[in-house]
Amino acid sequence: MSDPKTDSEAVTALRALMERHTDNLYLFVYGIVRNREVAEEIVSEVFCRVWNRRQRMKEVRNAPAFLFVVARNLSVSYLRRAQRMRFARIDRLEEFSLELADAADEAPEGREKALADALSRLPAKCKMAFLLAKVDGLKYREIARIMHVAESTVKNHVAYAIRRLQELLG
């Protein structure tokens, strides 16, 4: 069992860390994830991890640097998970788009095949940017962050995809 005096000291130390660093950690994390709720959750998780590892925190020489490294790692992990989930959603939305095309077309097999064929002919990054913009409704800035490219590159990908789909679908 833990010593109540030691736990009390640990609580006091954690509170001091939180009071000193929460705002700066939040701004740092928000700059990475660009989502207020997610940034708050990540900052909370940083301090939960500090608490759970409080016995080993005595070995940490630079607590602020440690907090920011943990925050950065959690933020990057969040972005990776979000990107994987978004890719899965793109596949589902593409299938949904094909189903809508079926319902709206008199010859659904032909239209579905034409749309699937046209989408498959797009370069991978063009296809991803197009689907995120036009099917998911994301802003170019958000897509640029997900794809790790400039916003102008996303704009070019989407424009190219639209031109190419118009050519292919007539």
Side-chain angles (χ1 to χ4, degrees):
M1 195 144 206
S2 59
D3 179 15
K5 182 178 178 187
T6 306
D7 281 348
S8 173
E9 291 169 356
V11 167
T12 302
L14 180 65
R15 280 190 184 141
L17 271 177
M18 290 174 73
E19 287 173 10
R20 225 173 298 136
H21 301 290
T22 297
D23 292 341
N24 288 334
L25 279 173
Y26 172 81
L27 293 172
F28 175 72
V29 171
Y30 180 78
I32 297 170
V33 300
R34 301 281 185 208
N35 182 305
R36 288 186 176 122
E37 293 81 17
V38 171
E40 289 171 1
E41 288 294 321
I42 289 173
V43 171
S44 294
E45 179 63 22
V46 168
F47 290 113
C48 285
R49 289 188 179 199
V50 167
W51 177 255
N52 291 335
R53 294 174 176 92
R54 63 188 173 277
Q55 298 302 328
R56 290 180 274 174
M57 286 301 293
K58 295 171 189 163
E59 301 166 11
V60 173
R61 298 211 184 274
N62 186 341
F66 176 81
L67 294 173
F68 280 91
V69 167
V70 172
R72 183 200 63 211
N73 292 345
L74 290 171
S75 299
V76 169
S77 293
Y78 164 79
L79 291 175
R80 284 185 183 134
R81 279 191 316 275
Q83 190 172 14
R84 279 193 303 267
M85 289 188 328
R86 191 157 322 275
F87 286 139
R89 264 181 76 209
I90 289 170
D91 290 338
R92 288 194 309 271
L93 286 170
E94 185 178 357
E95 292 169 14
F96 179 70
S97 298
L98 293 175
E99 290 170 13
L100 286 178
D102 283 350
D105 200 346
E106 293 178 9
E109 298 82 20
R111 189 68 179 158
E112 176 183 336
K113 185 173 178 350
L115 181 58
D117 184 50
L119 285 170
S120 71
R121 289 184 184 190
L122 293 176
K125 289 184 179 183
C126 274
K127 178 179 175 181
M128 184 166 102
F130 174 78
L131 291 172
L132 287 171
K134 301 304 179 188
V135 176
D136 252 0
L138 295 180
K139 295 179 181 175
Y140 289 169
R141 182 180 309 134
E142 296 169 318
I143 299 167
R145 196 168 11 115
I146 290 167
M147 294 177 65
H148 304 288
V149 296
E151 194 172 330
S152 59
T153 302
V154 172
K155 191 175 185 177
N156 291 336
H157 282 319
V158 172
Y160 175 80
I162 291 170
R163 280 193 314 270
R164 188 74 178 128
L165 289 173
Q166 286 174 337
E167 290 170 9
L168 294 168
L169 296 173

